[in-house]
Amino acid sequence: MALRVTFVAAAGSLSRLTERFEDDRPLDQAGWSDVQRVARELLPLAAADLRYCSPNPRSRATGDGLGYTPLVQLALRDCGMGRWRGLTLGEAMAREPEAVDAWLADPRATPHGGESLLDFITRVGGWLDTRPAEDHCRVVAVAEPSVIRAALVYALKAPPATYWNIDVRSLSRVSVTGRAGRWSLRIEGVSTRTTRI
């Protein structure tokens, strides 16, 4: 039985360097404008059999703004970052450089007092593996870029350090297909048919 899960990155984050750990700020005007700009393109995903989002306010607002009316999933929350909550990576590095270095080097490390990267990847992967496995079921999930990176590392059975090499942009989308324990990355693109001019 094959399942297709399409992740849509929540609006609002310009790049990984500007992301804030466990950021619970609402979607700002620029984010709303971005959602409206891509709404027509992403609206067909509203026909998915199941529609979810992470509990982050921007993810919920993005899902609602795209017409998905998503169900909040706590398992899709951002990585628990303890005392670094609300900081950017640069801000955490300025305050605790050795602790950040340890966290970046060891996926089991929790110098911030929160959740390890490995535990985060496992939690998001557990959510992915427990989706209903009806044949050809389509699922859409709006989440923070960090959650999507974790899902991709899990789905591809990649080493946890791969997490740092995946760049997920605001309002981008990526799909995985398969079932629990057997996922494949699906790259969307233009048709491969040749066009005569």
Side-chain angles (χ1 to χ4, degrees), residues 76-140:
L76 293 179
R77 68 190 179 282
D78 207 349
C79 185
M81 296 304 292
R83 69 180 172 275
W84 295 349
R85 179 184 179 129
L87 301 179
T88 66
L89 180 59
E91 290 168 343
M93 181 65 92
R95 293 179 186 189
E96 302 180 53
E98 291 176 8
V100 172
D101 286 343
W103 177 65
L104 292 172
D106 181 2
R108 290 179 174 82
T110 58
H112 44 59
E115 186 176 26
S116 74
L117 178 62
L118 188 58
D119 288 342
F120 174 49
I121 292 168
T122 302
R123 169 171 49 84
V124 173
W127 176 86
L128 186 62
D129 279 349
T130 56
R131 293 311 87 211
E134 296 176 23
D135 206 15
H136 304 295
C137 183
R138 295 171 303 150
V139 175
V140 66

Side-chain angles (χ1 to χ4, degrees), residues 1-7 49-50 125 127-139 151-152 154-157 174-188:
M1 299 221 192
L3 174 68
R4 179 176 173 177
V5 180
T6 300
F7 289 97
D49 301 298
L50 300 167
W127 176 86
L128 186 62
D129 279 349
T130 56
R131 293 311 87 211
E134 296 176 23
D135 206 15
H136 304 295
C137 183
R138 295 171 303 150
V139 175
L152 293 176
Y154 182 85
L156 296 174
K157 298 179 182 173
V174 64
S175 298
V176 293
T177 59
R179 64 181 191 284
R182 295 187 63 181
W183 296 102
S184 298
L185 179 62
R186 181 177 180 134
I187 304 295
E188 307 288 334

